[in-house]
Amino acid sequence: MVYTLTSELYTADPSAHVFEGKLYVYPSHDFESGIPEDDLGSHFNMEDYHVFSMDSVGGEVTDHGLALHIDDVPWAGRQMWAPDAAKKGDQYFLYFPVKDKDDVFHIGVAKSNTPGGPFEAMAEPIEGSFSMDPAVFEDTDGAYYMYFGGIWGGQLQQWEQGEYLGADKYPADDEPALMPKIAKMGDDMVSFSEEPKDVVILDRNGEPILAGDNDRRFFEAAWVHRYNGKYYLSYSTGDTHNIVYAIADNPYGPFTYQGVILDPVLGWTNHHSIVEYQGKWWLFFHDSSMSGGKTHLRSVKMTELTYNPDGSIQRINALVANEN
């Protein structure tokens, strides 16, 4: 069974969490800005966020209204892309990538006393942050880690050792691919306590996934969850449109590639999250079926995710035709 989050708004890039016994979803908010499509994703010109919650899968979904608008982020220029959220103590944190006024992506933070917001943005982005697609993982020892990054329009290829190059620099096809980044969060949850470092993804032979391996290499949308003591890194392969996963023994990796979780869906992008709720595991994703296939007007969906006895994940195909 596949459930649609809402038909009232176009939503994408869902980050799902269990807060206060409810399932909360933090998606992007798509709208028609009229900007032509290009490989940098300029047509994804989102400018605000809404938060959604539900008490049960398939039950009533609550839209908590406007959570944060780009006009209320002092340093922001354009393009509020895929967000995530975390809870520490009694405070909730919304993490969001947005281009600054020089058109460079950084990751911002906004705070709220409630999981549904509204959120109040910090005056500056996280120091040392860059690129996009933040995902914050809380480990069993209470430590928090942010995973982030994305190539092409996500600008990861324009950074090297924390320095902005201002131009693309990709590895050759036979060299290790660009990897997502990880940084442990500071106690305040609005800073990094260390320099971001690579999350290395290896093949079954222990060799790094290569840049030319488009079916397996990291493109964007890193997400980490824990299952039976193992750490699962899942991500999008971008131009081959899969959601794939790798497994490690610790949050930093290295992670060993395992296989595909979600086959391509209708629309160019594929972006997801994974969460346990009420004794089952759920995969959140989006497609463009509600808009009749418009790749920048997407809708969040969810379906049950199933593990095999050995800890591998059963592959899902959720491709549907246009609904319009």
Side-chain angles (χ1 to χ4, degrees):
M1 176 70 73
V2 176
Y3 303 91
T4 299
L5 183 67
T6 179
S7 58
E8 300 300 314
L9 298 175
Y10 287 115
T11 53
D13 311 320
S15 293
H17 294 273
V18 178
F19 295 139
E20 299 180 347
K22 296 183 179 182
L23 195 52
Y24 279 84
V25 186
Y26 300 82
S28 303
H29 176 200
D30 285 350
F31 80 109
E32 182 57 77
S33 65
I35 293 177
E37 293 184 22
D38 62 25
D39 283 345
L40 297 180
S42 300
H43 45 299
F44 298 109
N45 195 35
M46 300 87 94
E47 59 184 20
D48 64 22
Y49 300 109
H50 283 235
V51 179
F52 299 84
S53 68
M54 66 192 83
D55 293 312
S56 62
V57 174
E60 182 180 357
V61 176
T62 299
D63 179 353
H64 293 270
L66 182 65
L68 181 67
H69 194 280
I70 195 167
D71 291 345
D72 297 319
V73 181
W75 57 274
R78 67 186 180 112
Q79 293 183 294
M80 296 185 99
W81 283 9
D84 193 20
K87 177 182 187 289
K88 186 175 183 180
D90 295 327
Q91 198 150 51
Y92 295 87
F93 300 86
L94 180 69
Y95 301 95
F96 57 94
V98 63
K99 287 180 177 175
D100 65 15
K101 299 183 192 303
D102 293 321
D103 240 19
V104 178
F105 267 118
H106 295 282
I107 297 167
V109 192
K111 300 179 182 181
S112 177
N113 293 322
T114 62
F119 290 82
E120 183 175 352
M122 306 284 289
E124 300 290 341
I126 296 174
E127 185 176 354
S129 71
F130 53 93
S131 194
M132 45 72 144
D133 286 357
V136 176
F137 167 72
E138 180 185 2
D139 206 353
T140 52
D141 62 358
Y144 293 80
Y145 302 88
M146 180 181 287
Y147 299 82
F148 64 93
I151 61 173
W152 290 22
Q155 301 180 341
L156 185 61
Q157 73 281 354
Q158 296 185 9
W159 291 81
E160 189 171 62
Q161 297 180 336
E163 296 295 325
Y164 181 58
L165 304 175
D168 291 344
K169 184 180 179 181
Y170 290 102
D173 283 354
D174 60 353
E175 294 177 343
L178 292 171
M179 303 290 179
K181 302 294 183 179
I182 182 176
K184 191 174 184 179
M185 299 299 295
D187 290 339
D188 58 7
M189 296 295 284
V190 300
S191 63
F192 295 152
S193 67
E194 62 184 5
E195 293 289 326
K197 51 179 67 75
D198 282 347
V199 180
V200 177
I201 306 168
L202 306 175
D203 63 21
R204 297 294 181 102
N205 296 320
E207 298 296 327
I209 299 293
L210 300 180
D213 188 351
N214 290 46
D215 287 328
R216 298 190 297 177
R217 64 90 166 88
F218 172 76
F219 189 96
E220 62 186 1
W223 182 265
V224 170
H225 73 280
R226 199 170 186 268
Y227 177 76
N228 281 357
K230 299 289 187 180
Y231 297 82
Y232 287 64
L233 168 71
S234 43
Y235 57 92
S236 170
T237 60
D239 54 347
T240 48
H241 318 295
N242 292 315
I243 299 296
V244 301
Y245 74 109
I247 295 178
D249 294 323
N250 69 83
Y252 290 98
F255 288 81
T256 301
Y257 181 89
Q258 302 295 313
V260 175
I261 295 175
L262 180 65
D263 290 328
V265 295
L266 183 66
W268 199 93
T269 64
N270 208 349
H271 194 123
H272 72 298
S273 62
I274 296 169
V275 67
E276 186 180 17
Y277 186 59
Q278 296 180 341
K280 294 184 177 182
W281 285 88
W282 300 95
L283 174 73
F284 285 77
F285 63 100
H286 65 234
D287 69 12
S288 297
S289 58
M290 195 172 78
S291 68
K294 295 180 180 177
T295 198
H296 60 289
L297 297 177
R298 299 161 292 181
S299 300
V300 167
K301 299 185 174 184
M302 63 182 295
T303 193
E304 189 173 352
L305 180 136
T306 303
Y307 297 91
N308 295 311
D310 64 358
S312 60
I313 296 174
Q314 292 186 14
R315 186 169 180 161
I316 296 170
N317 187 308
L319 180 65
V320 296
N322 298 352
E323 293 179 2
N324 292 347

